[in-house]
Amino acid sequence: MSYLDLKNAMTLAPKCKFYTTAGGKTKEEIMKSEELLKVKFSKQCIEFYEKYGYLSFYGKEIFGIDPDDDSGILEGNSVAYAKNDREKYNLPIQWIPIYNFENGNMAYLDYSSINSENEPKVIMAFYNGNEYEIVEDLAEDFGAFLIGLVQEQLKSQQD
C-alpha cells in the first residue's frame, strides 16, 4: 500500500517462474506516453517504467508503455490498449489498463481516484457492451496490486 510495496514486489518478482522485463523506458518515452494518454503518471508508475518497462511471469503480464508502437497489438502496451479502447468503447480517460485477467475483466490504474501519496487506485472493470462497469477495487495503488500478484505466484510455486 505504498512505495515500499513496489520495491518489495520488484525484489521478489525475479523469483517467479518465467520472470522477464523489457529493460527500461526513457524519460522521453514516458513523457510522450503521458501526452498521448493525457495523464500524468504517478511516482510508482514512472519508476516501474524507467527501471523495468514491462513485467511478465508465469502467465501474468503487467503492461508497459510504448508510445511509438503502431503494430496494432494491444496486449502488453498500456498506451495502445487505452487509445484503442477510448476510441472504440469510450474508456474513461482517467483509466489506464495495466493487466488483462483473460476473462473479460481488466485491471486499470484509476487516476480519478488517487490516495494521499498521489497514487491511483487499481480497479477491476469490464465493458458490458454499453459502458464500463467496475467490478471491485483491487488495491490502493500500483505497488499494492503488484506485490499481491507476486506473492500469489510465489505461494503457488511452493504448493
Side-chain angles (χ1 to χ4, degrees):
M1 296 176 318
S2 70
Y3 178 70
L4 186 57
D5 286 333
L6 175 67
K7 299 296 263 183
N8 289 338
M10 295 314 296
T11 298
L12 292 171
K15 297 177 182 178
C16 295
K17 290 180 182 177
F18 310 114
Y19 165 85
T20 187
T21 64
K25 293 296 180 179
T26 66
K27 291 190 185 310
E28 291 77 24
E29 289 171 307
I30 293 169
M31 289 172 47
K32 186 173 183 181
S33 295
E34 289 176 326
E35 186 177 305
L36 288 168
L37 295 174
K38 298 175 179 34
V39 169
K40 174 74 175 121
F41 294 135
S42 68
K43 177 183 175 183
Q44 289 181 26
C45 290
I46 289 172
E47 181 163 325
F48 175 78
Y49 297 140
E50 284 179 335
K51 290 185 176 180
Y52 308 101
Y54 161 95
L55 173 63
S56 177
F57 56 88
Y58 207 71
K60 310 285 187 202
E61 181 179 44
I62 308 303
F63 298 172
I65 53 171
D66 187 347
D68 298 318
D69 181 5
D70 61 0
S71 69
I73 298 171
L74 306 180
E75 288 301 319
N77 185 352
S78 290
V79 176
Y81 227 123
K83 286 174 56 181
N84 178 79
D85 287 6
R86 285 175 182 176
E87 182 180 313
K88 291 186 176 181
Y89 309 111
N90 202 28
L91 176 72
I93 200 154
Q94 306 91 345
W95 292 9
I96 307 300
I98 58 167
Y99 182 80
N100 189 340
F101 287 95
E102 303 294 334
N103 64 0
N105 293 317
M106 296 277 290
Y108 298 92
L109 296 168
D110 181 2
Y111 280 92
S112 68
S113 179
I114 57 171
N115 64 20
S116 61
E117 295 182 27
N118 292 318
E119 295 291 334
K121 72 179 173 181
V122 179
I123 59 171
M124 178 192 294
F126 72 98
Y127 185 71
N128 69 13
N130 293 316
E131 64 186 3
Y132 283 87
E133 291 185 34
I134 297 175
V135 176
E136 66 180 291
D137 290 351
L138 295 173
E140 179 182 326
D141 60 28
F142 181 63
F145 175 70
L146 196 55
I147 192 69
L149 286 179
V150 169
Q151 288 173 335
E152 175 186 299
Q153 179 58 43
L154 291 174
K155 183 180 182 320
S156 74
Q157 287 176 200
Q158 294 174 347
D159 296 342

